[in-house]
Amino acid sequence: MKQVSFSLLASDGQSRRGRIDTPRGEINTPAFMPVGTAGTVKAMYPEQVRETGADILLGNTYHLMLRPGAERVAALGGLHVFMDWQRPILTDSGGFQVMSLAKLRKLTEQGVTFRSHIDGSTHELTPERSIEIQTLLDSDIIMQLDECIALPAERREMERAMELSLRWADRSKTAFANQANRALFGIVQGGDDPELRARSAAGLKSIGFDGYAVGGLAVGEPQAVMFRVLDEIVPELPEDRPRYLMGVGKPDDILGGIERGIDMFDCVHPTRAGRHGHAYTRFGVINLKNARHKDDHRPLDEASPNANCRRWSRAYLHHLVRTEEILGAMVLSQINLAYYQELTSGARAAIAAGTMTDFAAQTRAAWAAGDLPAL
C-alpha cells in the first residue's frame, strides 16, 4: 500500500500545480473539495460528484460524531463504504462547528465540552478524541483539532486561541502516531495578525505535519484582509507539503488563493447556492429566481462543457427554482460543482503552461462582463 505523498509538478509565480498520491487515488492540485457534511454532498449522487471532476470529498467530524456516530460508521465499514465514495476523503476536526453550532460549550486546556445542537446531549471533543473519530471514519487526510475564532477579534484573544491550537496540534500529532496510508494536517491560526500567524506556522513546522492548512479565515473579515494574510503566511509554509485554505469559498476567493500558492479548498457555497437558485458559470453568478428568466428560451450557457448548462432553458430552471422542485436544487448543485472543477482544472493547465496570469485575467474579465443581456 502506498503512503500519502505530495509532488510539486509546476509553478507559475506563486501558483502551484501538484499531485497528492493516496492509496485511494490521486488528488490533482489546485483542488476543490465538495463538502459532504453528513456523509453526502447535498442533492448529488456520489458518481455525479466524481463526474464533475472532484478527486476528493470533505466529511465533517462534528456532524458525523453526532449522527450516526463514528463507532457506528466504523462498524459498517467506514465512511467510504457507508456513502459509497471510494476515492479520498478529508475530514475536518469538528472544532469550527463546535465553536459555531454547539450550545453551551465550555473550552478548557483539555478540550471542549458542548451540547449537541440536535438534541442537547453532552459531548466532549479533545485532540485525541478528534483523531480517534476521524480514524474510525477511515479518513485519508485527518485534521488536527484547533480553536477557530471569528474576526475581527482582540489580539489577546487571537494569541490565546493560536497558542491553544498549537498545543492541541502537538497532542494531535502524538495521538495520530505513525498511521500508515493516512496524512495529518496542522492548522495555522493567528487571526489577521502577521506575527501570530508566523509564530503558529513556525510551531507547526517544528512539530512536523504532512500538510499545512490556513484556518480562521472567511470568518467575517473582508476578502482583502484574507488575501493579505495569505500573502504574509503562505511563503512561511513548506514548499514540499500541500497547502489548504479551509472553508473558502466563492470562485474569486479560490482564484485569488491559487495565485497566492494555495493547493486545496473546500466550501459548502456551491451546493448551498444551488439550493437557493444561484448558478455559477463563466458569466459569474446568475440568480435564477429573477423574473428576467421566466420567458427566456436560451440555455444557461450554450458554450459550457457541462451538459446541464446546455440542456434546459433558463425559463425551465427559473420555474424549478420558483416552485421549489427538488430537481432545481439537484441541477444547480451539479452546475456549480462542475464550474468549480472547471475553474481549478483550468488553473492547473495554465500553471503547467506558464500562462496563469492570462488565465486569471481572462476569467475575471468574463465575470466582470456579466450575464447575457435579458431578452
Side-chain angles (χ1 to χ4, degrees):
M1 294 287 284
K2 298 183 294 183
Q3 297 290 324
V4 178
S5 62
F6 175 69
S7 302
L8 181 59
L9 304 178
S11 50
D12 185 6
Q14 298 301 311
S15 302
R16 292 149 46 102
R17 164 77 173 97
R19 187 185 67 244
I20 303 170
D21 288 300
T22 82
R24 288 190 170 98
E26 66 181 27
I27 305 159
N28 292 290
T29 65
F32 179 78
M33 300 181 285
V35 176
T37 301
T40 174
V41 177
K42 286 183 171 58
M44 298 282 288
Y45 285 104
E47 58 269 26
Q48 293 175 317
V49 178
R50 175 60 178 156
E51 287 165 3
T52 68
D55 290 333
I56 177 173
L57 298 184
L58 182 143
N60 187 272
T61 290
Y62 172 85
H63 289 281
L64 290 167
M65 72 179 280
L66 296 180
R67 244 180 353 198
E71 282 77 10
R72 178 170 288 126
V73 172
L76 292 167
L79 188 56
H80 297 83
V81 172
F82 191 52
M83 66 181 292
D84 192 21
W85 175 264
Q86 300 308 319
R87 294 193 59 79
I89 293 175
L90 179 148
T91 45
D92 62 17
S93 69
F96 176 80
Q97 285 73 27
V98 167
M99 306 306 167
S100 61
L101 294 178
K103 303 173 182 177
L104 300 177
R105 61 185 179 271
K106 180 181 179 182
L107 187 71
T108 68
E109 184 69 31
Q110 176 64 16
V112 57
T113 303
F114 63 94
R115 291 179 59 184
S116 164
H117 74 287
I118 299 170
D119 59 9
S121 57
T122 301
H123 302 265
E124 183 182 36
L125 193 62
T126 66
E128 294 79 11
R129 177 58 177 158
S130 178
I131 297 297
E132 179 185 25
I133 290 169
Q134 294 178 75
T135 301
L136 286 166
L137 295 174
D138 198 17
S139 173
D140 301 282
I141 300 178
I142 287 175
M143 304 302 299
Q144 70 147 109
L145 183 65
D146 65 329
E147 182 187 0
C148 179
I149 62 173
L151 295 178
E154 295 291 330
R155 188 181 192 279
R156 181 183 305 173
E157 178 67 2
M158 292 190 294
E159 183 172 27
R160 182 203 59 75
M162 182 274 289
E163 293 285 3
L164 178 63
S165 295
L166 265 184
R167 294 191 295 275
W168 284 0
D170 193 39
R171 287 167 55 189
S172 296
K173 177 69 179 292
T174 300
F176 182 81
N178 294 310
Q179 294 191 45
N181 304 314
R182 302 188 208 278
L184 177 66
F185 282 23
I187 304 175
V188 178
Q189 289 290 352
D192 58 2
D193 187 287
E195 191 268 336
L196 295 179
R197 287 280 179 178
R199 279 168 50 190
S200 178
L204 292 172
K205 287 189 290 186
S206 69
I207 297 169
F209 289 90
D210 301 304
Y212 294 83
V214 180
L217 293 176
V219 289
E221 82 285 356
Q223 185 191 67
V225 172
M226 178 177 73
F227 285 164
R228 173 182 61 78
V229 172
L230 293 178
D231 286 333
E232 293 162 349
I233 196 57
V234 172
E236 302 290 328
L237 303 178
E239 290 188 0
D240 62 347
R241 297 288 190 275
R243 301 160 174 173
Y244 166 28
L245 179 57
M246 303 183 73
V248 175
K250 295 182 179 179
D252 58 330
D253 298 322
I254 291 173
L255 185 58
I258 292 171
E259 290 174 308
R260 289 163 174 83
I262 295 295
D263 305 306
M264 302 169 70
F265 304 85
D266 81 278
C267 195
V268 298
H269 183 74
T271 47
R272 179 177 289 168
R275 296 195 305 277
H276 288 85
H278 293 86
Y280 280 94
T281 74
R282 62 191 171 99
F283 303 124
V285 61
I286 299 171
N287 182 0
L288 285 158
K289 292 181 180 179
N290 197 307
R292 62 164 279 186
H293 302 293
K294 67 181 180 180
D295 295 312
D296 196 331
H297 60 84
R298 297 172 298 181
L300 198 59
D301 180 3
E302 64 182 5
S304 173
N306 181 5
N308 276 344
C309 281
R310 308 188 307 269
R311 181 175 182 181
W312 290 287
S313 69
R314 289 167 176 247
Y316 182 62
L317 296 176
H318 169 79
H319 162 72
L320 292 178
V321 169
R322 297 292 292 188
T323 56
E324 298 183 353
E325 283 290 340
I326 294 171
L327 181 60
M330 294 168 61
V331 170
L332 295 183
S333 294
Q334 193 277 342
I335 285 171
N336 290 347
L337 287 178
Y339 180 72
Y340 273 55
Q341 297 300 335
E342 184 183 337
L343 177 65
T344 51
S345 66
R348 291 195 297 267
I351 295 165
T355 58
M356 182 63 192
T357 299
D358 291 340
F359 172 79
Q362 292 163 7
T363 300
R364 290 192 174 102
W367 293 340
D371 196 12
L372 300 174
L375 289 176

